[in-house]
Amino acid sequence: MSKAIEFFAGEYDIIVVGAGHAGCEAAIAAAKMGKETLILTMSLDAVALLACNPSIGGTGKGHLVKEIDALGGEMGLNIDRTMIQSRMLNTSKGPAVHSLRAQADKFEYQNKMKYRLEDQEKLDLRQGEVTEILVEDGVARGVKTRTGATYRAGAVVIATGTYLKGRIFIGELNYEGGPNGFFPSTELSDNLRSIGFEMRRFKTGTPARIHSKSVDFSKTEAQHGDEEIIPFSFMTDELDMEQIPCYLTYTNEKTHQIILDNIGRSPMYAGDMESVGPRYCPSIEDKVVRFTDKKRHQVFIEPEGRETAEMYVQGMSTTLPEDVLLEMMRSVEGLENVKIMRGAYAIEYDCIDPTQLKLSLESRAVENLFFSGQINGTSGYEEAASQGLLAGINAVLKLEEKEPLVLDRSEAYIGVLIDDLVTKGTEEPYRMMTSRSEYRLTLRQDNADLRLTEKGYSVGLVSQERYRRYLEKKSSIEDEMERLKNHKLTPSAEVNEYLKSIGTTPLKTPTSMYDFIKRPEVSYDMLAGIDMERPELKKEVRMQVEIQIKYDGYIKKQTIQIGQFRKLEHKKLSEEIDYSEIKGLRLEARQKLNDIKPESVGQASRISGVSPADINVLLIYLEQQNRNRSGRE
Amino acid sequence: MDTIVAIATPPGEGGIGIIRLSGSKAVSISDRLFRGLSEKNLSGLEERKLNYGHIVNPTDKKIVDEVMAVYMKEPKTYTKEDVVEIHCHGGAISVRRILELVLSEGARLADRGEFTKRAFLNGRIDLSQAEAVIDLIKAKTDANFDMSLNQLEGSMTKKVRELQNELLSMIAHIEASIDFPDQDVEQITSEELKKTAKSVYSEIDTLIATSNTGRIIKEGVKTVILGKPNVGKSSLMNALMRENRAIVTDIPGTTRDIIEEYVNINGVPLRIIDTAGIRETDDLVEKIGVERAKEVLRDADLAIVVFDCSKEFESEDLAIISLVKDKPAIVLFNKTDLESKLREEDIAKMLKGKHIITTSMLEGKGIDRLEEKLREMFLSSEVEIGEDPVVTNARQKDLLIKAKENIQDALDALNMEMPVDCIEVDIKGCWENLGFITGDSIGEDIIDKIFKNFCIGK
């Protein structure tokens, strides 16, 4: 019988448990903000692992990366350093939904992030499995590891991803395991449960990786990156590198037949798996069963890096056993002789119900204990990193006895993400989508820096250099907007001749340059020929000016809505309120409000089961409290 | 604060009707509608005095009504905001027209109890009254909340829901193509969007036109008769109608979903809701199902529950009891002429606080006591007439007009070749305004629809 002897191993301000995308952001932010920080990971080989697709960004997610970057986080910088292909998605649609996505060299991505951790002052990176959170008088005070080491700290950030009680499913087989062949964490989940957290079980999956030399690319369509690469980070001036293509092929009726013939061997259909998986990541068997009229499904073959033969097969995640997997893949055009290097699997894991958290991501049950990433029921690297960054920042602010940084739904997708999780909870692994935002036209990826740099600067994460550049960009946008408003185009023969030449109708009355750019067929750059006083401006400034003018009407409408929205957000509710004592609230509302403990009337209004009548009661109650207070003073 | 408007006088035929506005735009809105002597507008006349004049429709310059109006500047008003009162001729038509004009000039229909809520939040009402204010607003907004779910009747609701579905499909399609651009989602063309938007536009237009046709609006206690088949519901209807002249109105625009019978009993106006014809099928609960019965009940002010005391107690009786537990209700023990198998005390225990009357429709016994009880309940305010149908109608019309503006904006944006995510804003706005009529909110619906309709995912 072996056992670990407990010993004191060190004292820190902040300990981060887990070094995935959430953990890395949390730890670097905490250290950059001046706190002695320890980051513990079960395996140093799993730091910033891209456990599923080898890409960062995409719709909604790209917005998150831009926001992380604007706040002074790491993800944008790291993908800029390690990308092997870049595409701006949705360019045929409006600027609000343009979304950046880059293919990553996943090995480089890990290496660079790991080195970033190692290089960061005040940060220690250490391998070790945390088995227990030390809680004293309701306050987190440190962690214990499997080897008996006790680390003490002022605050703890949990970012354990899919490791908690991980179980791997491959066909009829299932066993305890973490992602990508790593070990699972078996004890921490029970420890969290014993502290009082409500746990739940989610699942996710990943497709097979194949050898590039076994693919006949001539039967697929190559998907190339954009000619001009737009970086994720505000601090990356320009990016130029050789890009590697992805390849598109399709499943066919034969593939579907193989799946249907073996459907009983999928644990999801055999009933062995009861956990909830994400709807936006259906397995190939789900797609075939649910959409019988689709004769083929897309399969993207994506490189996993520059110096590797491994390729990711997007569109074919599955829990079918390996023999069926191979048969099924070989029925796809281009994959007739495919060799599988890593098999597909589904993973089930424990996570918490995020409604147990505050908007700062601190848990309500245990003070100074923060949760971020997949353990909160989300899915995706970007969603995890966003939460990690905020949890790291807020852990520091908590130790400094400052107000937490909470972004609201009108300020950032990160705000939408955290508000959704904490207020409504989630029934499936939560993925960001632009349709989740009420203020999509305002929360664009192109203005993330303008929205959030100031906030990142105020908490001390944004460097002086970045801040200076931000101020410069901001003022040149404002100056140019002002100039365009005041600069009138007169209907002279010369001007009208020019207008005809660019394919727009001539002027009859003098019009400001600003209003003129609103014409759908006119762009800012097109008017350079008749705009003699135009200053030399950077591309991103010109673009910003054009977007703000063209969508002015919509942006104004949304600004009014945001004003309305903020009124209720600013009506704060104290954590101390016992809702069961407020006369007039319906029973269901009392329970829900006591469970969630909303921080504002606005947040309360988004809780399911709280009616408009209940909100009125809360408003009256608040006014009553205010008057009582001012009566005493 | 936005400007709110409501009819301040109680529903029914009165000598005058008062429309009250509160908020920063109350005076400017009134100025656009009111013409005093010597063409003066309201703010040009003396404050806090009733001024003679006319309400003029700003679009066609026609006189709507001869009125007296007063304006009061903040803070010395009931709400501590600018308040305007317009005193017009009583009766539904004049009040409704003026209300509609005020709405079209940018005011919003007040929620129930909202004037009092503002008065309190603006510090007008004493703190000791806070609980009373909570009670008032809660009672009224709860009723309002429930009301909105069932404001439109029959085929009208169906039509609005159909439109919502069409809009939701459009929204889900746009969203799917935005959020999953490389996922093989067929792009929705602007031609398709225009086609659907145009059809939605004309459908809404028709609905607005329908709401204008002189529909007879009568107030009364919305009453639902509930009971198993053959307990005597039809006999009750017939008895009530024989003794009291009934007006049967088939509401225009509805097919045969709902027929309302107006009966005046001892001065109490009743609107008896005959859903799918109680008299023909005689089994509301069974025919239309418990769900629908619930819906009808939600909107009702009063339930009359009929039991056949010559039959054993059954599970359906239990279902009926649970439906009316929280409603003002009268329980009838019918068929006392037959041998009784049902014990009054048992039912009374399950329906605490409800009035129980024994009747025999066959022998004409007990009807007089029922009528007397109705009068008693009405006079003691135990039952009240729900929201004034004039207001309900104005609210619906206002929302339909807003929805129409949204879809017009979407069409304009389509013609301007604006990007699809901008167009979606107006389409969603249209859906949301229709949602205020049906009581639906959009939330997860879009995402559910995306995953249901499109094969999406990596």
Side-chain angles (χ1 to χ4, degrees):
Chain A
M1 173 83 194
S2 76
K3 73 171 199 173
I5 305 297
E6 286 182 17
F7 65 102
F8 174 71
E11 178 138 15
Y12 291 87
D13 294 318
I14 288 170
I15 293 172
V16 178
V17 183
H21 307 285
C24 289
E25 295 290 348
I28 295 171
K32 272 171 82 177
M33 288 168 77
K35 295 285 174 259
E36 293 294 338
T37 306
L38 169 69
I39 181 167
L40 287 161
T41 167
M42 288 184 58
S43 168
L44 282 181
D45 300 325
V47 172
L49 173 71
L50 299 169
C52 196
N53 51 317
S55 65
I56 299 278
T59 49
K61 291 163 170 279
H63 290 69
L64 288 174
V65 181
K66 286 270 190 179
E67 292 179 354
I68 292 167
D69 182 66
L71 288 167
E74 296 298 319
M75 185 171 250
L77 288 163
N78 204 49
I79 182 63
D80 280 351
R81 285 192 282 258
T82 57
M83 67 170 72
I84 55 177
Q85 191 204 91
S86 168
R87 278 178 68 200
M88 184 66 89
L89 307 174
N90 272 337
T91 47
S92 65
K93 305 181 185 94
V97 295
H98 290 186
S99 294
L100 203 50
R101 186 182 66 201
Q103 298 300 131
D105 182 318
K106 68 162 56 169
F107 304 100
E108 272 301 289
Y109 189 91
Q110 277 194 268
N111 284 339
K112 290 249 164 36
M113 188 61 94
K114 178 162 172 273
Y115 185 64
R116 181 70 191 80
L117 294 173
E118 292 160 348
D119 195 41
Q120 175 65 44
E121 268 177 57
K122 294 190 182 244
L123 179 60
D124 287 345
L125 171 64
R126 180 84 168 76
Q127 183 164 299
E129 180 187 344
V130 171
T131 50
E132 196 183 326
I133 309 297
L134 301 175
V135 179
E136 291 164 15
D137 299 326
V139 184
R141 288 293 177 219
V143 300
K144 242 181 236 176
T145 71
R146 190 169 207 166
T147 52
T150 296
Y151 296 95
R152 295 193 62 87
V156 177
V157 179
I158 312 249
T160 51
T162 61
Y163 284 82
L164 296 191
K165 293 220 166 159
R167 179 165 282 276
I168 302 293
F169 287 79
I170 301 167
E172 295 85 351
L173 172 72
N174 63 76
Y175 56 89
E176 282 186 8
N180 208 23
F182 290 102
F183 287 107
S185 157
T186 49
E187 290 177 46
L188 186 57
S189 178
D190 288 333
N191 177 244
L192 289 172
R193 206 172 269 123
S194 74
I195 293 173
F197 289 99
E198 208 174 293
M199 308 297 288
R200 61 221 321 227
R201 213 140 165 83
F202 274 2
K203 72 154 191 255
T204 185
T206 194
R209 311 299 194 273
I210 56 176
H211 198 293
S212 60
K213 286 194 177 156
S214 67
V215 181
D216 183 353
F217 292 112
S218 68
K219 294 184 175 167
T220 66
E221 288 166 40
Q223 306 260 306
H224 296 283
D226 291 342
E227 255 169 51
E228 187 194 2
I229 300 175
I230 295 168
F232 275 99
S233 176
F234 181 68
M235 296 306 280
T236 310
D237 286 322
E238 121 188 358
L239 272 178
D240 193 20
M241 100 292 286
E242 195 196 330
Q243 296 190 62
I244 305 179
C246 298
Y247 300 89
L248 171 63
T249 178
Y250 293 91
T251 61
N252 51 48
E253 294 188 34
K254 192 176 159 205
T255 322
H256 299 181
Q257 198 51 52
I258 295 167
I259 292 168
L260 292 174
D261 288 346
N262 291 284
I263 197 74
R265 299 187 64 192
S266 158
M268 279 185 296
Y269 285 87
D272 296 341
M273 269 184 115
E274 280 165 15
S275 49
V276 190
R279 283 177 295 181
Y280 45 83
C281 264
S283 60
I284 184 70
E285 51 267 35
D286 265 353
K287 293 191 221 176
V288 170
V289 169
R290 288 190 46 223
F291 295 90
T292 42
D293 55 330
K294 278 202 102 170
K295 298 292 172 234
R296 62 176 203 177
H297 294 278
Q298 288 180 324
V299 176
F300 290 96
I301 302 168
E302 306 175 6
E304 296 235 304
R306 281 187 200 281
E307 294 175 348
T308 177
E310 279 190 80
M311 296 192 89
Y312 175 90
V313 188
Q314 199 217 96
M316 286 190 102
S317 79
T318 183
T319 51
L320 286 164
E322 283 187 5
D323 54 326
V324 183
L325 174 66
L326 188 64
E327 193 191 349
M328 164 178 110
M329 289 188 95
R330 288 195 165 171
S331 70
V332 173
E333 244 186 297
L335 302 182
E336 293 83 353
N337 299 305
V338 78
K339 284 183 179 164
I340 293 173
M341 294 180 70
R342 303 185 201 223
Y345 63 85
I347 182 167
E348 242 184 33
Y349 55 96
D350 278 0
C351 53
I352 65 161
D353 177 349
T355 60
Q356 300 169 94
L357 304 177
K358 301 179 192 179
L359 288 168
S360 62
L361 296 176
E362 185 184 15
S363 80
R364 280 200 310 274
V366 178
E367 218 179 313
N368 293 8
L369 183 61
F370 293 76
F371 286 83
S372 63
Q374 238 161 331
I375 189 167
N376 288 346
T378 59
S379 140
Y381 316 137
E382 304 81 358
E383 288 84 347
S386 304
Q387 296 168 65
L389 179 61
L390 269 289
I393 292 172
N394 285 329
V396 174
L397 293 174
K398 182 75 200 280
L399 293 183
E400 293 178 348
E401 294 179 16
K402 290 182 184 154
E403 284 294 305
L405 176 64
V406 172
L407 304 170
D408 76 33
R409 302 182 72 87
S410 68
E411 288 172 326
Y413 275 93
I414 299 180
V416 174
L417 167 72
I418 296 176
D419 183 65
D420 275 348
L421 289 173
V422 170
T423 311
K424 298 179 191 153
T426 179
E427 295 306 316
E428 67 180 328
Y430 181 104
R431 177 209 203 269
M432 185 43 74
M433 293 187 269
T434 66
S435 50
R436 295 195 192 268
S437 164
E438 297 86 346
Y439 312 110
R440 183 160 66 190
L441 298 182
T442 311
L443 304 185
R444 303 186 305 276
Q445 58 96 29
D446 60 70
N447 68 1
D449 49 357
L450 298 171
R451 288 185 277 126
L452 299 170
T453 306
E454 203 82 54
K455 289 187 190 282
Y457 182 70
S458 72
V459 298
L461 269 185
V462 163
S463 66
Q464 287 298 336
E465 169 60 8
R466 182 192 280 250
Y467 190 59
R468 188 190 58 71
R469 284 168 71 164
Y470 150 78
L471 288 178
E472 207 176 274
K473 178 178 174 187
K474 191 170 162 236
S475 70
S476 54
I477 294 166
E478 283 163 2
D479 292 349
E480 181 61 357
M481 298 280 277
E482 204 48 41
R483 190 188 70 82
L484 291 170
K485 275 181 192 162
N486 297 324
H487 186 76
K488 291 252 186 303
L489 272 180
T490 43
S492 67
E494 187 196 353
V495 165
N496 277 341
E497 203 48 47
Y498 184 80
L499 295 183
K500 262 188 248 167
S501 78
I502 58 169
T504 182
T505 42
L507 281 176
K508 290 198 183 78
T509 51
T511 307
S512 75
M513 206 61 122
Y514 184 93
D515 286 332
F516 199 77
I517 292 173
K518 285 187 177 171
R519 289 191 178 185
E521 69 279 10
V522 172
S523 75
Y524 175 84
D525 285 349
M526 273 160 98
L527 296 184
I530 40 167
D531 186 3
M532 297 314 154
E533 296 151 37
R534 178 172 290 198
E536 189 92 5
L537 292 171
K538 282 189 181 158
K539 191 184 166 215
E540 69 258 27
V541 172
R542 299 199 308 270
M543 186 183 77
Q544 201 52 234
V545 166
E546 176 163 309
I547 291 171
Q548 290 189 17
I549 295 175
K550 283 221 176 286
Y551 303 100
D552 180 46
Y554 287 95
I555 294 170
K556 272 201 189 116
K557 258 196 237 173
Q558 210 147 70
T559 309
I560 294 171
Q561 288 170 358
I562 290 173
Q564 292 288 341
F565 156 81
R566 289 210 174 131
K567 274 188 199 156
L568 285 187
E569 296 303 298
H570 289 159
K571 297 218 182 289
K572 296 294 174 200
L573 294 168
S574 151
E575 217 183 319
E576 314 292 317
I577 299 174
D578 179 359
Y579 293 94
S580 55
E581 306 222 310
I582 300 182
K583 210 183 140 237
L585 287 176
R586 289 168 317 120
L587 193 63
E588 190 192 2
R590 287 179 195 191
Q591 282 166 355
K592 286 279 176 66
L593 289 164
N594 272 336
D595 283 351
I596 308 274
K597 290 278 182 195
E599 289 163 42
S600 67
V601 178
Q603 195 193 349
S605 72
R606 292 188 290 277
I607 300 173
S608 73
V610 175
S611 75
D614 297 317
I615 293 304
N616 273 326
V617 172
L618 283 182
L619 288 173
I620 302 279
Y621 169 82
L622 274 185
E623 174 63 19
Q624 203 179 351
Q625 297 297 306
N626 281 343
R627 283 199 222 168
N628 274 335
R629 211 171 302 127
S630 59
R632 276 198 301 273
E633 273 158 17
Chain B
M1 278 289 194
D2 48 359
T3 299
I4 52 172
V5 59
I7 300 172
T9 37
E13 299 280 329
I16 59 166
I18 302 179
I19 289 136
R20 182 162 61 160
L21 293 81
S22 174
S24 55
K25 286 189 189 146
V27 177
S28 62
I29 289 172
S30 311
D31 273 351
R32 291 197 288 276
L33 301 173
F34 178 87
R35 284 289 160 272
L37 293 172
S38 343
E39 294 295 300
K40 278 198 176 147
N41 60 21
L42 190 58
S43 60
L45 295 162
E46 205 177 334
E47 197 200 344
R48 289 169 197 274
K49 287 269 159 61
L50 265 182
N51 294 294
Y52 173 80
H54 293 93
I55 293 295
V56 180
N57 185 336
T59 332
D60 59 13
K61 310 286 176 218
K62 281 194 184 139
I63 289 178
V64 177
D65 196 10
E66 187 182 28
V67 301
M68 301 289 284
V70 55
Y71 73 98
M72 292 160 272
K73 301 289 281 180
E74 48 132 43
K76 286 189 174 172
T77 66
Y78 179 58
T79 53
K80 286 200 157 190
E81 300 172 338
D82 287 356
V83 167
V84 173
E85 284 177 14
I86 301 167
H87 300 228
C88 66
H89 286 104
I93 292 173
S94 178
V95 174
R96 172 173 143 193
R97 278 204 197 146
I98 296 173
L99 182 66
E100 282 175 9
L101 284 178
V102 173
L103 289 173
S104 67
E105 290 298 320
R108 170 173 70 72
L109 209 52
D111 294 333
R112 292 184 160 204
E114 196 170 2
F115 281 86
T116 309
K117 177 178 132 188
R118 287 191 176 196
F120 183 79
L121 291 181
N122 293 334
R124 171 74 162 63
I125 295 178
D126 191 67
L127 189 57
S128 63
Q129 288 168 280
E131 286 203 350
V133 175
I134 286 182
D135 285 346
L136 170 80
I137 289 171
K138 187 188 129 48
K140 298 221 163 175
T141 40
D142 266 351
N144 202 22
F145 189 55
D146 290 345
M147 279 290 292
S148 67
L149 297 173
N150 209 14
Q151 273 183 358
L152 284 177
E153 288 127 347
S155 61
M156 190 82 147
T157 316
K158 227 174 111 200
K159 191 76 238 171
V160 173
R161 284 249 156 80
E162 274 169 28
L163 292 177
Q164 280 182 291
N165 274 337
E166 272 181 63
L167 293 165
L168 188 64
S169 292
M170 258 200 283
I171 295 168
H173 199 151
I174 294 173
E175 294 293 2
S177 74
I178 287 174
D179 269 327
F180 301 93
D182 54 0
Q183 292 280 329
D184 221 6
V185 175
E186 215 179 294
Q187 295 292 322
I188 189 162
T189 65
S190 67
E191 287 317 307
E192 288 170 285
L193 286 175
K194 265 186 217 170
K195 204 176 136 211
T196 319
K198 274 184 193 155
S199 105
V200 169
Y201 180 91
S202 68
E203 300 267 17
I204 295 177
D205 217 24
T206 313
L207 285 176
I208 293 172
T210 317
S211 79
N212 279 338
T213 54
R215 166 179 153 185
I216 307 160
I217 299 169
K218 289 199 169 288
E219 291 97 29
V221 177
K222 265 197 161 182
T223 308
V224 176
I225 301 179
L226 277 181
K228 283 187 303 187
N230 297 319
V231 290
K233 294 193 297 290
S234 48
S235 314
L236 173 64
M237 279 288 273
N238 290 335
L240 289 175
M241 284 166 50
R242 198 165 37 240
E243 291 178 23
N244 310 280
R245 244 177 307 155
I247 311 158
V248 180
T249 317
D250 205 342
I251 295 173
T254 66
T255 47
R256 54 152 296 105
D257 269 38
I258 291 184
I259 294 171
E260 291 188 0
E261 322 256 358
Y262 294 92
V263 198
N264 195 305
I265 294 168
N266 291 342
V268 181
L270 287 194
R271 264 169 100 185
I272 301 180
I273 301 157
D274 179 355
T275 311
I278 299 173
R279 284 170 306 163
E280 285 159 53
T281 60
D282 209 37
D283 55 354
L284 181 58
V285 173
E286 191 176 295
K287 172 101 195 293
I288 62 180
V290 177
E291 278 312 306
R292 180 82 176 100
K294 263 190 204 161
E295 237 179 81
V296 174
L297 263 175
R298 187 161 40 211
D299 200 18
D301 305 315
L302 173 71
I304 300 178
V305 191
V306 188
F307 289 105
D308 176 352
C309 62
S310 69
K311 298 267 166 60
E312 301 279 351
F313 191 78
E314 289 176 349
S315 61
E316 283 110 311
D317 293 308
L318 202 64
I320 291 169
I321 286 172
S322 73
L323 282 178
V324 298
K325 256 204 307 238
D326 303 320
K327 275 270 163 196
I330 299 177
V331 179
L332 298 188
F333 258 65
N334 195 26
K335 304 201 187 174
T336 49
D337 44 302
L338 299 175
E339 191 196 339
S340 179
K341 287 186 179 157
L342 212 71
R343 294 194 332 159
E344 201 181 316
E345 309 91 83
D346 293 345
I347 302 288
K349 241 184 266 167
M350 284 184 266
L351 282 168
K352 280 211 180 83
K354 304 278 188 268
H355 307 283
I356 297 183
I357 296 169
T358 52
T359 55
S360 165
M361 300 294 165
L362 194 75
E363 296 171 356
K365 282 183 190 160
I367 304 288
D368 50 341
R369 267 177 292 145
L370 169 63
E371 294 183 352
E372 191 42 48
K373 184 51 78 184
L374 280 169
R375 186 181 154 78
E376 221 177 275
M377 287 173 84
F378 189 71
L379 290 179
S380 67
S381 296
E382 199 176 326
V383 291
E384 284 177 322
I385 296 173
E387 184 176 66
D388 185 348
V390 173
V391 176
T392 310
N393 199 55
R395 190 194 301 281
Q396 286 158 12
K397 193 174 162 193
D398 186 40
L399 289 165
L400 287 171
I401 289 171
K402 285 190 183 130
K404 187 171 121 177
E405 285 165 7
N406 291 135
I407 204 77
Q408 181 61 56
D409 285 348
L411 279 164
D412 290 348
L414 277 163
N415 289 330
M416 296 258 299
E417 290 171 30
M418 290 301 271
V420 72
D421 45 308
C422 290
I423 292 155
E424 190 263 359
V425 172
D426 296 316
I427 298 177
K428 206 194 244 171
C430 181
W431 192 101
E432 280 168 341
N433 277 319
L434 296 179
F436 286 124
I437 297 177
T438 52
D440 304 328
S441 59
I442 203 154
E444 281 286 303
D445 287 8
I446 299 176
I447 291 168
D448 290 342
K449 188 113 183 163
I450 293 175
F451 290 121
K452 199 166 152 252
N453 291 7
F454 302 97
C455 179
I456 271 163
K458 53 182 193 181

